[in-house]
Amino acid sequence: MYKNILLASDGSKHAIRALTQAINLAKEVEEATVTIVSVVDRAKSKKAVGKDDKDEVIDTPSNALRETEDALTQQNIPYKVQLLYGDASEEIVDYIDKNQIDIGIIGSRGLNALQEMVLGSVSHKVAKYAKCPILIVK
């Protein structure tokens, strides 16, 4: 069934809800592995700290993923962490397509339908372009 599960996470409350679903799915398949994917947008992070040199910008998420890793460890679910750089939706879709992911799980930002159509969201774009099923968790 779903052996290769991708969990897109930024440590937000929606990502933590998505974690619960990833755990539930992983428990159903004996050899399931969860890949936690977190995307760093270097352009935004450089602008936020006022730096131009990419080496001066911290490229790793803070402790945002600690809760996710701890929960998977407590449930004895094998996982790995993949840090990606760039536009979140593009990087997640690219990773899914290149790594034989069976299902992607991503939290919703909770935007209403009009905002989602106007602004677009990472979850919406991933669901639209990925070549595997995507579970969007509210």
Side-chain angles (χ1 to χ4, degrees):
M1 183 137 196
Y2 299 125
K3 291 174 89 171
N4 296 317
I5 301 168
L6 178 136
L7 173 63
S9 184
D10 59 3
S12 69
K13 65 181 179 179
H14 295 292
I16 298 302
R17 289 186 199 130
L19 166 64
T20 301
Q21 297 305 313
I23 289 171
N24 291 339
L25 281 176
K27 284 182 172 181
E28 295 296 319
V29 178
E30 191 173 317
E31 297 176 7
T33 299
V34 174
T35 301
I36 306 165
V37 171
S38 186
V39 182
V40 175
D41 185 333
R42 282 191 171 142
K44 288 180 184 175
S45 63
K46 283 190 279 189
K47 187 175 181 180
V49 296
K51 301 287 184 181
D52 291 326
D53 184 351
K54 72 177 183 178
D55 295 330
E56 294 183 46
V57 178
I58 298 172
D59 285 338
T60 57
S62 61
N63 295 326
L65 301 180
R66 182 169 290 157
E67 184 176 349
T68 300
E69 291 184 74
D70 289 347
L72 291 167
T73 299
Q74 289 173 0
Q75 296 293 325
N76 294 316
I77 296 171
Y79 73 90
K80 63 182 178 177
V81 177
Q82 183 65 52
L83 190 59
L84 304 174
Y85 302 94
D87 176 77
S89 57
E90 291 176 13
E91 293 300 321
I92 292 168
V93 168
D94 189 52
Y95 189 88
I96 286 171
D97 292 346
K98 290 181 178 175
N99 290 279
Q100 300 177 334
I101 299 298
D102 297 318
I103 188 168
I105 304 174
I106 188 168
S108 166
R109 291 193 297 160
L111 295 176
N112 67 39
L114 177 61
Q115 288 173 316
E116 195 166 283
M117 285 190 330
V118 173
L119 299 175
S121 69
V122 173
S123 59
H124 177 77
K125 289 176 185 176
V126 170
K128 185 174 180 178
Y129 295 110
K131 294 179 183 174
C132 72
I134 302 296
L135 175 60
I136 299 175
V137 181
K138 286 184 172 186

